Amino acid sequence: MSGTMRAVDIENGKGPISALHIKDIPRPTPTDSQALVRVKAFGLNRMDLLQREGQYPVPPQAPATLGVEFSGTIESLGSSGGGAENFAVGDEVFGLAYGGAYAEYIAVSVHMLVRKPKELSWEECAGIPETWITATQALYLVANFTKGKSVLWHAAASSVSIAGIQLAKAEGASGVYATARQDEKCAFAVDKLGATAAFNTTRSNWADEVLKATDGKGVDIIIDFIGAGYFRDNLTAAARDGVIVALGLMGGAVVEGDVNIAPILMKRITYVGSTLRSRDEDYQGKLRDQLVEHALPKLRDGSFKVYVEKVLPWEKIQDAHRLLEENKTKGKVICTIS
């Protein structure tokens, strides 16, 4: 096997979409508990756009190559082999990595691999790890969701919220609500994903709509990717003893104007931030196990669906990034490597 491989590179280390190109780089060698996977497909995430521009804090153990989720076949194993996971060369897998998925090969911990179900395509599997694990983390490990609680997912057509809406509904939420900035995306959340209701944040005060829909109670859990832009209204929409989980800052990091934080005290609100990529391998491994327990069986039988907006050959990586930046997608953008 050659000591090099093709991978997506960023000219000068960071830059606009036009800086993306494919070049030859050294092929990684799997360490003790890693597998070398020949990549069939990889998923795009919003963090990739930020990393390309030099605006994302990349973990120190991550390679320079973009991409954290992929599907493919095991090419070789490190010195400990498949370990307790019992993986073998030739196994079809998908998984989560600290980086490096935009490439022909990726070296990744066997603890972050999942066996590819025959019921799912390479493209669908490449769109599962980051999004479904993030949704699982936010719902169970951070917000402590239990049956009967109500949940609000912002950015309804984002891949994480698509996963989360399905999870919450299937696990017995008393109500599953969503927000988006387009009527089409709101309709998608209700008609396709089964949300109880979805609110267009450009047409009405969504927090008031949430209170109206919950008879004034508010929602028990809010999963937020927007940040400063929704901070005030999140406090309004949260129920007593509610939990607000901050996963992103798409609406900015600085809250402007006078903001009344009394609801945090009076409602006993828990406001917590969470990340995934910076977590250690043990934590991520536990999340993988949660994915296998809560989502994988329903993904296999079709109860849960991986929504893929577009599949492109990886030679069109610039088009893929452009599509994601337009913010019109409902689901994953996936690139395939032939």
Side-chain angles (χ1 to χ4, degrees), residues 79-150:
S79 57
S80 65
E85 307 292 343
N86 294 316
F87 285 112
V89 172
D91 283 352
E92 298 180 345
V93 296
F94 63 93
L96 184 69
Y98 288 108
Y102 286 25
E104 290 180 313
Y105 294 92
I106 185 170
V108 61
S109 168
V110 294
H111 303 302
M112 290 312 300
L113 294 177
V114 180
R115 299 183 191 279
K116 175 187 174 295
K118 65 180 186 303
E119 297 89 350
L120 298 174
S121 69
W122 293 111
E123 292 83 1
E124 288 172 318
C125 286
I128 291 172
E130 170 67 18
T131 50
W132 284 84
I133 286 178
T134 298
T136 301
Q137 174 199 26
L139 199 59
Y140 296 103
L141 271 68
V142 182
N144 295 314
F145 171 82
T146 54
K147 183 178 179 180
K149 289 186 177 182
S150 56

Side-chain angles (χ1 to χ4, degrees), residues 153-324:
W153 294 85
H154 287 309
S158 70
S159 295
V160 175
S161 288
I162 287 173
I165 290 168
Q166 294 178 79
L167 277 167
K169 184 172 183 289
E171 295 289 321
S174 59
V176 184
Y177 303 94
T179 69
R181 294 174 58 83
Q182 300 170 23
D183 288 340
E184 181 184 2
K185 291 183 176 181
C186 289
F188 170 77
V190 174
D191 299 338
K192 298 294 185 182
L193 304 179
T196 308
F199 312 107
N200 186 328
T201 60
T202 69
R203 291 183 177 273
S204 63
N205 185 311
W206 63 264
D208 289 344
E209 294 293 334
V210 168
L211 291 177
K212 190 182 304 181
T214 57
D215 296 323
K217 178 188 174 185
V219 287
D220 298 309
I221 297 169
I222 297 175
I223 311 296
D224 178 39
F225 310 89
I226 310 303
Y230 285 2
F231 182 83
R232 186 198 317 264
D233 287 333
N234 280 339
L235 299 184
T236 300
R240 187 175 299 276
D241 295 315
V243 179
I244 301 169
V245 182
L247 296 182
L249 299 169
M250 294 171 60
V254 179
V255 179
E256 298 180 355
D258 296 326
V259 178
N260 179 9
I261 64 171
I264 296 176
L265 177 66
M266 304 309 295
K267 293 185 182 181
R268 301 189 296 268
I269 291 171
T270 299
Y271 196 103
V272 56
S274 185
T275 59
L276 175 58
R277 194 175 180 184
S278 61
R279 301 284 190 169
D280 63 36
E281 188 178 303
D282 287 342
Y283 183 92
Q284 291 197 5
K286 291 175 184 177
L287 288 173
R288 182 208 60 173
D289 295 343
Q290 290 270 329
L291 167 71
V292 171
E293 176 185 352
H294 289 284
L296 194 59
K298 289 183 172 62
L299 287 164
R300 295 186 67 170
D301 69 19
S303 301
F304 287 167
K305 184 175 179 182
V306 180
Y307 285 85
V308 177
E309 175 78 19
K310 188 79 171 179
V311 177
L312 295 165
W314 76 319
E315 291 86 356
K316 293 187 178 293
I317 187 63
Q318 292 187 10
D319 291 340
H321 268 235
R322 193 170 293 111
L323 182 61
L324 198 61

